[in-house]
Amino acid sequence: GRPLAAAKRELLSSLQSLDKIHQFQVIFYNDKPHVMNLNPSQPPQLLYGDDQGKKLAATFVGGVVADGGTRHMEALLLAIQMRPDVIFFLTDADEPKLTAPDLRRIRERSRGTSINAIEFGSGPSSGRYTFLQQLAAENNGQHVYVDVTSLPRP
């Protein structure tokens, strides 16, 4: 739970820096994506960074618990479908790895969208090249590794 708690703290902190004109969306995933959606009868949309949007995000994020597997593709494709300028992809899981065909499919669909990968791990980075680094590199983004053992406890 420590990587998820760290990711949630960092996410909420980042959202506080948004202005009213900025738009955002939050998607958590395990076996399937869980999208912050105000109107479930409509497709999910980007929300504005006003007080209401930030409050809704805090409520949504606070209700998320670690559960189930990790299916990166569905969440990434859903995020890309919303046509954002930037995706911040936070994950503590490197399994299952995205395959070369997965990465190609993401790259083909993400035209114009930068994807930054923030990897939460326990202990120092292994130093090996990962699919998360490749995901960021192929989509005009950056990869950052965060050692959760070095973060302050909540």
Side-chain angles (χ1 to χ4, degrees):
R2 193 167 181 189
L4 178 60
K8 289 165 72 170
R9 273 195 319 276
E10 294 300 315
L11 171 61
L12 292 175
S13 176
S14 295
L15 291 177
Q16 289 308 310
S17 69
L18 296 179
D19 288 327
K20 294 176 186 177
I21 61 167
H22 296 128
Q23 291 182 288
F24 71 96
Q25 178 54 265
V26 178
I27 302 170
F28 278 90
Y29 68 98
N30 47 27
D31 293 330
K32 64 181 181 180
H34 302 277
V35 182
M36 185 174 61
N37 193 356
L38 302 178
N39 188 350
S41 66
Q42 300 290 322
Q45 298 180 20
L46 298 175
L47 302 175
Y48 282 96
D50 57 15
D51 290 340
Q52 179 185 8
K54 291 174 186 177
K55 185 181 283 188
L56 289 167
T59 300
F60 177 72
V61 170
V64 172
V65 295
D67 180 37
T70 304
R71 295 181 61 183
H72 308 295
M73 273 301 283
E74 288 180 52
L76 279 166
L77 292 176
L78 181 58
I80 290 167
Q81 184 178 337
M82 292 183 211
R83 308 306 306 159
D85 295 328
V86 180
I87 294 172
F88 292 91
F89 183 64
L90 287 67
T91 182
D92 67 341
D94 62 355
E95 296 292 338
K97 293 178 178 16
L98 292 174
T99 64
D102 292 337
L103 290 165
R104 183 175 48 255
R105 186 172 172 204
I106 290 166
R107 189 175 57 251
E108 289 169 353
R109 292 183 180 207
S110 70
R111 290 184 212 116
T113 299
S114 296
I115 302 176
N116 296 296
I118 298 92
E119 179 180 1
F120 291 87
S122 185
S125 171
S126 69
R128 62 183 166 77
Y129 192 72
T130 68
F131 79 91
L132 292 169
Q133 290 169 304
Q134 186 173 351
L135 172 70
E138 290 181 356
N139 293 281
N140 302 311
Q142 296 181 2
H143 169 267
V144 175
Y145 179 85
V146 178
D147 175 4
V148 297
T149 63
S150 67
L151 297 175
R153 290 201 177 264

